[in-house]
């Protein structure tokens, strides 16, 4: 009961944070030229009126004082609707309302060059994101599972066997996690696997479950098999153009729902490598903290008490020390979650996975201009929401683990 | 402890058994050094860092303009620029030469073509506009040239008149020093390298065994430009890159730590409303996805590569990089420092200082900050290693510190290399595979060495400075 | 916390002497001086290996702890009192600390067996540091071996009760853990033996209700215990009592709530299976402890036996896991938890805590220091150990609370008959509770003897100095004389008698060799050259 | 109010310190921890006043209040008030209605009381420590110093000993650098430290030596009044004796006034001329040392005295063992705060809060066992001058 008070209070504290983040994004958005803002909200101007967002339009031969251009009144209407000619505070309020009511603008100049992504200009950003969110979530959950499964036991071990081989190994691992950028690691893994297998088996190998012979190395990139692996060589109806699966959007779940077990396995298999790569960095930073907090806890009095009580050493470490150091782990995990999320665009880009990160990576890619600001800001908002909800979860866990927090 | 003095104590005990005037700070350093010495990894890190600093200093002392690091292959490529006139901002148009279409970057479309024949080009205007000239011929001469394209509204339009060709010194290389030729064919001349497919990016590392000459391309080459027109000397790049990388990371971490220290100390010591507001601010910045934030800041501010504060475009983008990271960096330090300060503030010696009338400023400066410094140092040394990695993230996501021109910074190089190498993956799996391993290996190694040695060092320092772990 | 009610006399706890297991009893041929010796520490050396050098924290300490007696260990900070206690059960953090040599005879078992094989010491020349080569296998083995003694036979209570308890587990959990470790089989057997369907339960409950209506605390308790007897489970009687007490005025609510409480005794098949398997596990654990003890008695390791038990244990774990998973819906572990809870309540009553139920539910950070110290004592006495090592149990407490705790300890000594080794820097406390006292200085015992002897005529100059420097309430205008200087650092201890730099009677000989223990008067021994008595038999 | 021949250095009047307790969803203030609840006493020049009580009874808070290290909720502390002001204050406080809630202000209804309160405010404005401006405060702080209990956290680990001791002088710009360090040397000699140790860091010293350093720092500005906050409770007995002797010597030499805070009655007896016994933030008994220890009146004092272990195994005495713990100052018991543990509790105790009366010259007690006809010396004659028999638990 006390715990709920605590959690609710934390949740209330999160409101100003969300608003603050929104304000920052608002500042960025409103620093864009008006043209881009209109573009971001309404998408591309219709083919017939390409001049819609410009302040002046060519009108008569003379026009205003003979420039051949006159004021664009259509644009003024748009501005009014968006409130862009209001004073900033009002704009801020409108922006808040829009972002909380999920009016995040329209896809405008998302360049699908070279991508098999069925995004067409003019779609609302939220729908696009809602297609791709589940995939990212599945990836994230897998990665988190890996992190927890590796970091905590390894950290405890290296604290218990301080300066012994286990410890040294785990420390080197954590160091290299700090030192290798994720995309480098990912591509190294890919190349390593490809080179290794191709040197062993040549190129004739096919995916076991691809009757028409998909080259095996496609198993490691892309989130679905190629078209030719499917019955009568095209994607089933629930797999929209081989990218978006329905109804849930979680690839494994969907495949399982439609009873295609090999497909479910396949999609899971495609997630494992990226998840490992994403997890690696976080594990590195987590290991360090787990180890240190464990070292601290092991020096505390109550551990000595437990020993003096006659509790076997294993239990002392797992129960008495481990549970106490878990709080620190949770906190650090919450803190590093932002960086954890930041890794997704890159990794999904390396492995060509159709997640939000991939969309973001493409839409923000300054190599192919201009940027699709609607998508960029949309996905940023999305990530922020994810982050905040993660914080709440962390708080709940923390309160659950530590009675001192729970009971105030 | 030697025995204490005291009113009724024999002098034999009272006088210390130490040398007359010890210098305690020296003792502390000795003690730290002793523990650092026992830690092989830390020593390794120290050595590597010293080497890198040396390299950076060397790179600074012998400056080479960064744009001359690029070398073109073939004999005489030139840049042809199509310049747009009278088109509203943000509309996309493109030019096609020999079935290759380039979209506009801002107001220009760039091509890099080998000289010789005259190329036919066609302009694709945005809907509702028509261009003059809509198509034409351009002959590549010895100098780069710019063709102005005028756009106008309405249908029909004016008959095509020969384009106004104006010559201008645009950025990019002007001289070709190196050339490549397909393996098996005779070498066209000096300074030419044999490559499997005539691709410059596949020039192998050439370590010549003569002790003095390191070969023209000791680390091999790397191709970055869109048309594969230019390739870059990895060795030079990494060499030049050292000082850029160090400067960027050190300045980011330094500035961030400064801000964090001040904010953390203030909010920790003053407490109350100040603390609350500052910490909420910190929370806000902590709940932005950092990398994305930096990307967006740069993307928004430098859309179309405009500049700020009258800096040069390059300086603008480096500056923005630093600022962007700084903005997302300080909150971590602020939180760290605050935690420390909250501990130190409760110590009795702070109260003693207040009891003898010390002002808040003095307490913060003389007591709080000195006693909460060490963890900050450790964290800083950790982060210095991490920054180039994050820069690499940005570049990988398409951020270019300098567009179309090779910018010597480790993160940039490794990211570009990765993208480049990933392109070869497909053909690689077919067995007939020649992956330019050096393009991943050397930049990756540079990043890895830097980060890991900094990590080793800071970890060693932490252990050496932490009295509890002193065993 | 404890505001009214419970005094010690009210709830008797089992008063028989601690069971003397075949290995724990006093040596058969016990000399006059060795009568009832439970713990015999001989020439114990414990060093700490730090950056500055080897700290000789204990340098040859010998003392005996006798059954039913309180042996006081007194001295200034850093003289190695606590280290002595912790060296007995080896709960010294390693690194930096290691027990170097010596014997700790607990009955026939030598707790420091296999000590010399655990680590080799290679001095680094030029410095006064030492490199240690540890054999981690042996160290782990000896740790396991000692965990069979810790808590069960030799219990310890610590100085800072608030830090000595695990902050994230409730008091009931932590005491319950101790219970299940030491009395597990007994607990489960009794739980399985309970029969809630016995005919005379109803009558007993009625009686309880009647007693509650009369409202007399003691008869109510008696009747509640009768209920417990009816279902053949004492702890349930206790539960019934507290239900009745909580019911207060509306005595009608007692009947249904007692019946509801009785649900926990109606065990389903799964629960029984789970309990049985749990019991087998604990039994294996006890066997393992026995093996360990035998190892220490016979002085040779019995790896085969340990292996066999380990195999059985792991197999049994699978069984319990099965019951745990299959029986999740049945909450298989619930009955044991509740049983433990009510036994814990019983333990807390034993240390005269007035509201044991709340305390048992509470977490350490909710309880006051005095309360926590009681809980610690209850925990350490849960297995009725032969020896209780009390490390400054009252230093962190207020005078009035200290008085309570001392009363409690004195009482427990007489009732449970545990041998107590009381460590404190406060001579007054020693004078209050101890029967014999050892005065330590800089890692050696300088004087020991019966408390009256030592306080009436302290022999060693250090003891005299200590006594002289205490400000006394009963002697206001006694001006405080102080011992000059402070405890020497034990890395470079003074040669010869370690006290000579601070000693007023220092003689040349004091600088040369350590004085032997000479016995002055009955069992009164002192290590000082001022006394020429017969050398003590050590 | 205490008849002291020598002038008063510091006098506290009706000082209260409540720490708010916040809880609930919006961390609303649900109550107060009444750390100090209406404490009044004087400290005269060159005397030592002992302040005893169990942990959590507000001893330390009183010490910090006297130095204005924290600001009080109400009440005043006066530094060297002129004699006439002193007397005037007493009259005024006498005219105020005695109450447990806050200052008299709340219940000051009668015109007389209002006037008294007004004048009190004016006086406070002139003389109260809590009304001084920061600049005035800085000058005064030199005269009021403190020595802390924990010798390990009271010295900054990153400063040299010389700098630690010199710091107060540095803050007050007392003399040149050279002079300061010369003074540091002599201070170290005063407290029995070897001046050569000034080049060391605190962690190189033992507890006793650190405590000496702390004392030297407190003496640096030649103070008149030092709060000794359990200066020896972290030390060994032998070292404790050294420190106590040093303190006594310094007092004799420099005519210092001490407030000696301790939970150790025997030490207090050895050190102080007058003793104040606190329980749950209130003064329960206040008397000259000898008087208090020979004739303790308040049951709590008696319990304390009998709880002290005496280092003499032969001396057996029946002792009063109090039941339970100190109640939390967040929810102090109604009426007399001691009644929950009092062995001689009466029905009235739980309802009515006893007033402090003077039983014998300078001996004040707040307990219903000693009914107050009126807090005068005549009245005191009627009061039983010896403690009534108590039933030991």
């Amino acid at each position: 009961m006390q715990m709920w008070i605590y959690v609710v209070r934390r949740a209330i504290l999160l409101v100003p944070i969300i608003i603050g983040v929104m304000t920052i994004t608002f500042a960025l958005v409103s620093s864009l030229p008006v043209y881009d803002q209109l573009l971001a909200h309404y998408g591309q101007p219709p083919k017939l009126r390409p001049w819609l967002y410009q302040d002046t339009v060519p009108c008569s031969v003379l026009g205003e004082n003979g420039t051949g251009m006159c004021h664009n009144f259509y644009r003024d209407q748009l501005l009014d609707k968006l409130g862009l000619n209001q004073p900033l505070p009002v704009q801020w309020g409108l922006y808040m309302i829009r972002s909380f009511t999920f009016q995040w603008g329209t896809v405008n100049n998302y360049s699908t060059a070279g991508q098999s992504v069925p995004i067409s200009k003019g779609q609302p950003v939220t729908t696009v994101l809602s297609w791709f969110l589940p995939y990212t979530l599945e990836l994230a959950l897998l990665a988190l599972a890996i992190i927890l499964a590796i970091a905590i036991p390894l950290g405890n071990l290296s604290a218990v066997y301080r300066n012994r081989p286990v410890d040294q190994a785990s420390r080197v691992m954590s160091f290299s996690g700090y030192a290798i950028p994720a995309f480098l690691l990912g591509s190294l893994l890919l190349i390593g696997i490809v080179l290794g297998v191709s040197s062993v088996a040549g190129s004739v190998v096919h995916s076991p479950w691809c009757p028409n012979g998909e080259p095996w190395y496609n198993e490691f990139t892309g989130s679905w098999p190629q078209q030719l692996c499917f019955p009568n060589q095209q994607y089933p109806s629930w797999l929209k153009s081989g990218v978006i699966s329905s109804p849930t959007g979680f690839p494994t779940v969907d495949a399982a729902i439609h009873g295609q077990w090999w497909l479910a396995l396949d999609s899971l298999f495609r997630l494992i490598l990226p998840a490992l790569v994403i997890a690696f960095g976080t594990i590195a930073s987590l290991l360090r903290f787990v180890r240190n907090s464990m070292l601290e806890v092991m020096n505390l009095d109550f551990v000595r008490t437990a020993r003096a009580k006659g509790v076997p050493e294993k239990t002392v470490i797992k129960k008495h020390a481990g549970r106490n150091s878990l709080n620190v782990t949770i906190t650090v995990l919450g803190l590093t979650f932002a960086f954890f999320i930041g890794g997704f665009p890159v990794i999904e880009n390396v492995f060509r996975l159709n997640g939000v990160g991939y969309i973001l990576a493409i839409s923000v890619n300054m190599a192919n201009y201009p940027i699709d600001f609607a998508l960029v800001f949309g996905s940023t908002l999305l990530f922020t929401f994810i982050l905040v909800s993660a914080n709440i979860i962390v708080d709940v866990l923390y309160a659950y683990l530590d009675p001192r927090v729970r009971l105030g | 402890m030697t025995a204490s003095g005291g009113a009724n104590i024999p002098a034999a005990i009272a006088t210390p058994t130490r040398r007359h005037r010890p210098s305690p700070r020296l003792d502390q350093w000795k003690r730290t050094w002793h523990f650092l010495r026992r830690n092989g990894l830390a020593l390794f890190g120290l050595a590597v860092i010293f080497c890198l600093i040396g390299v950076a200093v060397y790179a600074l002392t012998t400056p080479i303009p960064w744009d001359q690091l690029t070398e073109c292959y073939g004999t005489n490529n030139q840049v042809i620029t199509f310049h747009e006139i009278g088109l509203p901002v943000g509309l996309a148009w493109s030019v096609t030469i020999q079935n290759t279409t380039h979209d506009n970057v801002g107001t220009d479309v760039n091509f890099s073509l080998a000289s010789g024949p005259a190329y036919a080009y066609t302009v694709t205007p945005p809907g509702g506009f028509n261009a003059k000239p809509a198509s034409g011929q351009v002959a590549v001469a010895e100098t780069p040239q710019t063709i102005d394209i005028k756009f106008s509204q309405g249908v029909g339009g004016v008959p095509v008149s020969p384009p106004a060709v104006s010559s201008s010194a645009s950025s990019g290389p002007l001289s070709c020093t190196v050339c490549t030729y397909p393996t098996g064919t005779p070498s066209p001349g000096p300074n030419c390298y044999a490559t499997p497919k005539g691709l410059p990016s596949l020039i192998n590392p050439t370590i010549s065994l003569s002790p003095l000459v390191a070969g023209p391309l000791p680390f091999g080459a790397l191709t970055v430009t869109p048309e594969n027109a230019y390739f870059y000397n990895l060795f030079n790049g990494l060499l030049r890159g050292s000082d850029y990388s160090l400067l960027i990371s050190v300045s980011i971490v330094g500035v961030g730590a400064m801000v964090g220290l001040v904010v953390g100390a203030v909010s920790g010591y003053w407490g109350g409303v100040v603390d609350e507001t500052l910490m909420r601010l910190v929370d806000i910045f902590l709940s932005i996805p950092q990398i994305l934030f930096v990307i967006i800041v740069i993307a928004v501010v430098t859309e179309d590569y405009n500049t700020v504060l009258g800096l040069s475009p390059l300086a603008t983008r480096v500056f923005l990089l630093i600022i962007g990271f700084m903005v997302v960096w300080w909150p971590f330090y602020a939180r760290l420092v605050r935690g420390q300060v909250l501990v130190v503030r409760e110590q009795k010696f702070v109260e003693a200082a207040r009891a003898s009338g010390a002002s808040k400023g003095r307490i913060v400066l003389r007591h709080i900050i000195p006693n909460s410094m060490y963890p900050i140092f450790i964290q800083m040394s950790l982060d210095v290693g991490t920054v180039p990695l994050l820069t690499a993230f940005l570049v990988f996501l398409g951020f270019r510190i300098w567009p179309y021109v090779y910018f010597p910074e480790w993160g940039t190089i490794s990211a570009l290399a990765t993208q480049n190498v990933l392109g070869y993956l497909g053909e690689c799996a077919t067995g007939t595979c020649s992956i330019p391993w050096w393009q991943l290996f050397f930049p990756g190694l540079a990043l890895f060495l830097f980060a890991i040695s900094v990590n080793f060092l800071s970890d060693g320092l932490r252990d050496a400075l932490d009295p509890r772990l002193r065993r | 916390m404890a505001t009214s009610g419970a005094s010690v006399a009210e709830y008797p706890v089992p008063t028989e002497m601690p069971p003397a297991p075949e290995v724990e009893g006093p040596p058969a041929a016990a000399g006059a001086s060795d009568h009832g010796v439970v713990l015999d520490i001989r020439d114990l050396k414990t060093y700490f290996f730090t950056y500055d050098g080897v700290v000789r924290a204990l340098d040859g300490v010998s003392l005996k702890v006798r059954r039913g007696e309180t042996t006081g260990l007194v001295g200034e900070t850093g003289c190695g009192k606590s280290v002595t206690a912790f060296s007995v059960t080896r709960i010294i953090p390693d690194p930096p600390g290691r027990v170097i040599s010596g014997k700790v005879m607990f009955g026939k078992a030598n707790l420091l067996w296999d000590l010399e094989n655990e680590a080799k010491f290679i001095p680094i020349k030029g410095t006064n540091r030492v490199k240690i080569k540890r054999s981690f296998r042996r160290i782990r083995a000896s740790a396991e071996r000692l965990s069979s003694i810790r808590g069960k036979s030799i219990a310890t209570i610590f100085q800072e009760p608030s830090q000595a308890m695990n902050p994230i587990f409730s008091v009931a959990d932590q005491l319950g853990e101790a219970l299940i470790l030491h009395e597990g089989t007994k607990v489960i057997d009794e739980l399985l033996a309970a029969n809630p369907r016995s005919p005379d339960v109803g009558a007993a409950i009625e009686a309880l209700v009647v007693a509650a209506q009369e409202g007399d605390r003691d008869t109510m308790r008696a009747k509640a215990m009768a209920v417990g007897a009816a279902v053949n489970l004492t702890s349930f009687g206790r539960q019934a009592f507290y239900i009745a007490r909580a019911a207060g005025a509306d005595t009608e609510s007692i009947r249904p709530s007692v019946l509801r409480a009785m649900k926990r005794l109606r065990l389903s098949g799964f629960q029984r299976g789970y309990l049985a398997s749990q019991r087998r596990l604990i039994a294996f654990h006890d066997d393992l402890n026995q093996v360990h003890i035998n190892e220490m008695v016979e002085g040779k390791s019995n790896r085969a036996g340990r292996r066999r038990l380990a195999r059985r244990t792991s197999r049994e774990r699978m069984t319990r896991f099965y019951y745990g998973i299959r029986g999740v819906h049945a909450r298989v572990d619930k009955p044991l938890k509740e049983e433990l809870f009510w036994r814990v309540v019983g333990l807390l009553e034993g240390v005269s805590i007035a509201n044991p139920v709340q305390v048992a539910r509470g977490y350490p950070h909710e309880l006051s220091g005095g309360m926590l110290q009681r809980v610690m004592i209850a925990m350490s006495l849960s297995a009725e150990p032969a020896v209780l090592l009390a490390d400054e149990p009252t230093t962190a407490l207020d005078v009035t609370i200290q008085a309570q705790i001392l009363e409690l300890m004195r009482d427990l000594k007489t009732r449970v008959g545990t041998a107590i080794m009381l460590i404190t820097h406060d001579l007054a406390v020693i004078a209050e509770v101890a029967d014999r006292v050892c005065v330590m200085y800089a890692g050696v015992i300088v004087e020991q003897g019966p408390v009256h002897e030592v306080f009436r005529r302290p022999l060693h100059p250090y003891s005299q100095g200590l006594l002289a420097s205490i400000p006394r309430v009963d002697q206001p205008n006694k001006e405080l004389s102080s011992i000059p200087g402070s405890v020497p650092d034990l890395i470079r201890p003074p040669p010869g008698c370690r006290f000579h730099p601070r000693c007023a009677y220092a003689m040349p000989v004091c600088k040369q060799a350590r004085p032997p223990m000479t016995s002055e008067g009955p069992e009164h021994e002192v290590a000082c050259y001022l006394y020429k008595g017969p050398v003590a038999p050590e | 109010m205490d008849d002291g021949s020598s002038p008063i250095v510091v006098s506290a009047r009706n000082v209260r310190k409540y720490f708010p307790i916040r809880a609930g969803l919006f961390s609303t203030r649900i109550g107060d921890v009444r750390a100090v609840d209406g404490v009044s006493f004087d400290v005269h020049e060159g005397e030592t006043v002992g302040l005893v009580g169990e942990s959590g009874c507000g001893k330390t808070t009183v010490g910090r209040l006297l130095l204005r290290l924290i600001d009080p909720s109400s009440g005043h502390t006066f530094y060297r008030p002129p004699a006439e002001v002193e007397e005037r204050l007493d009259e005024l406080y006498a005219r105020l209605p005695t109450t447990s809630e806050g200052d008299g202000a709340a219940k000051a209804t009668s015109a007389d009381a209002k006037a008294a309160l007004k004048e009190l405010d004016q006086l406070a404005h002139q003389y109260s420590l809590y009304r001084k401006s920061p600049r005035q405060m800085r000058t005064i702080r030199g005269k009021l110093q403190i020595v802390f209990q924990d010798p390990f956290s009271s010295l900054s680990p990153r400063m040299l000993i010389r700098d630690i001791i010199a710091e107060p002088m540095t803050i007050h710009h007392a003399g040149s650098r050279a002079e300061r360090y010369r003074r540091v040397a002599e201070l170290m000699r005063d407290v029995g430290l070897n001046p050569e140790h000034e080049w060391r860091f605190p962690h190189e010293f033992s507890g006793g030596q650190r405590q000496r350093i702390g004392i030297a720092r407190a003496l640096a500005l030649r103070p008149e009044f030092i709060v000794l906050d359990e200066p020896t409770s972290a030390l060994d007995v032998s070292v404790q004796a050294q420190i106590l002797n040093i303190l006594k010597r310094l007092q004799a030499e420099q005519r210092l006034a001490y407030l000696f805070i301790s939970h150790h009655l025997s030490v207090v007896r050895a050190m102080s001329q007058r003793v104040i016994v606190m329980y749950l933030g209130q003064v329960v008994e206040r008397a000259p040392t000898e008087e208090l220890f020979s004739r303790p009146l308040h049951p709590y004092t008696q319990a304390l005295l009998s709880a002290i272990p005496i280092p003499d195994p032969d001396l057996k005495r029946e002792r009063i063992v109090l039941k339970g713990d100190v109640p939390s100052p967040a929810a102090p018991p109604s009426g007399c705060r001691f009644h929950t543990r009092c062995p001689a509790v009466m029905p009235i105790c739980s309802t009515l809060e006893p007033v402090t009366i003077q039983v014998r010259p300078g001996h004040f007690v707040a307990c219903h066992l000693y009914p107050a006809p009126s807090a005068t010396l005549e009245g005191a004659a009627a009061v039983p001058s010896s403690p009534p028999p108590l039933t030991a638990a």
Side-chain angles (χ1 to χ4, degrees), chain D residues 45-99:
Chain D
E45 212 171 74
E47 82 167 339
T48 304
V49 175
L51 186 59
V52 296
E54 291 178 278
S55 60
C57 72
K59 315 188 288 291
T60 309
T61 317
V62 168
R64 300 175 72 210
L65 281 168
L66 286 192
L67 301 190
R68 203 188 169 182
L69 289 175
I70 48 178
D71 282 329
S73 310
S74 74
H76 299 293
T77 296
F78 303 92
Y79 165 66
R80 285 205 174 280
E84 66 280 8
V85 176
E86 186 65 22
E87 288 149 14
R88 188 82 188 117
L89 280 172
D90 289 345
E91 296 166 13
L92 292 173
Y93 269 106
R95 274 158 61 187
L96 282 181
T98 58
T99 155

Side-chain angles (χ1 to χ4, degrees), chain C residues 285-356:
Chain C
H285 189 255
D286 294 349
D287 298 352
L288 190 61
N289 287 349
Q290 202 47 53
V291 170
H292 284 322
I293 293 174
N294 292 340
E295 280 182 344
M296 286 189 286
V297 173
E298 294 150 10
K300 64 177 173 58
S301 83
N302 169 8
R303 205 184 291 174
R306 274 193 266 127
R307 284 246 182 77
R308 197 173 57 255
L309 279 166
R311 264 202 304 283
R312 288 221 212 107
T313 314
S314 51
R315 222 175 298 128
E316 195 53 45
R317 279 230 174 69
M318 293 305 297
T319 324
R320 190 185 59 173
F321 181 74
Y322 162 79
Y323 278 112
I325 293 298
R326 285 292 308 282
V328 164
H329 62 284
R331 318 254 328 256
V332 285
D333 54 345
K334 196 149 164 290
L336 187 54
K337 275 227 175 69
E338 295 197 354
E339 174 63 14
L340 283 175
F341 178 85
W342 288 105
R343 281 175 178 268
V344 165
V345 170
L347 286 177
L348 294 181
E349 284 174 353
V351 292
S352 70
I353 288 176
N355 49 353

Side-chain angles (χ1 to χ4, degrees), chain D residues 26 81 126 130 143 225 232 288 305 311 340 362:
Chain D
F26 301 100
Q126 284 174 312
Y130 305 129
K143 298 294 163 198
F225 172 66
T232 62
L305 281 178
T340 53

Side-chain angles (χ1 to χ4, degrees), chain B residues 241-389:
Chain B
S242 56
D243 49 13
Y244 272 101
S245 298
L246 292 185
L247 172 115
I248 289 178
S249 47
V250 166
S251 51
I252 287 174
V253 172
V255 178
M258 275 302 158
V259 178
L261 193 62
V262 173
V263 172
V266 166
S267 81
Y269 184 68
W270 258 258
V273 184
V274 184
D275 186 20
E276 274 303 314
T277 40
L278 284 178
M279 278 304 114
R280 287 293 85 71
L281 200 65
V282 166
D283 288 344
I284 289 173
F285 276 99
L286 280 182
S287 28
I288 305 173
Q290 282 87 4
I291 308 273
L292 304 186
F293 180 78
V294 177
I295 295 173
I296 291 169
V297 166
I298 296 168
V300 167
V301 178
T302 70
E303 200 204 4
D304 292 347
Y305 305 111
N306 53 19
T307 66
V308 298
L309 310 177
L311 293 167
S312 78
L314 172 62
T316 304
R317 295 173 76 76
V318 173
F319 172 76
L320 280 170
L321 188 74
I322 294 176
I323 292 299
F325 268 119
M326 202 277 284
V327 166
V328 296
W329 216 269
W330 67 268
F332 288 97
Y333 290 107
R335 196 167 258 199
L336 193 62
V337 177
R338 177 170 173 275
Q340 280 294 314
V341 171
L342 285 185
V343 175
V344 175
R345 186 179 70 171
E346 296 311 315
Q347 304 280 326
K348 284 287 178 233
F349 59 81
V350 175
E351 198 165 357
R354 276 178 56 217
S356 41
S359 62
K360 280 192 171 182
R362 180 189 168 83
I363 289 177
V364 170
L365 284 183
R366 289 297 312 281
H367 294 283
I368 303 269
I369 288 186
N371 282 297
S372 44
M373 271 308 241
Y374 275 137
I376 316 304
F377 283 144
I378 303 298
Q379 190 59 39
M380 280 173 74
S381 51
L382 277 178
D383 293 345
V384 165
T386 320
V387 169
L389 273 54

Side-chain angles (χ1 to χ4, degrees), chain C residues 1-2 76-77 368 398 400-402 404 428 431-432 452 455-456 466 471-474 476 480 482-483 485 502, chain D residues 54-55 236-238 240-242 244-245 266 269 308-314 317 319 321-325 341:
Chain C
M1 278 290 169
E76 290 181 287
T77 327
S368 71
D398 284 317
T400 56
I401 309 298
Q402 167 175 328
Q404 296 171 355
E432 292 278 337
H452 293 271
F455 275 78
R456 199 177 300 111
L466 272 185
R472 292 183 60 159
V473 171
D474 51 345
L480 300 176
S482 67
I483 311 175
R502 301 173 73 183
Chain D
E54 291 178 278
S55 60
D236 290 318
V237 270
S238 64
Q240 161 177 326
Q242 295 171 6
L244 293 183
N245 292 335
S266 39
R269 177 164 205 177
I308 308 169
I310 292 176
D312 182 356
D314 306 331
R317 59 212 165 108
R319 61 155 39 131
V321 175
L322 293 178
K323 295 211 205 74
D325 293 342
R341 300 172 73 193

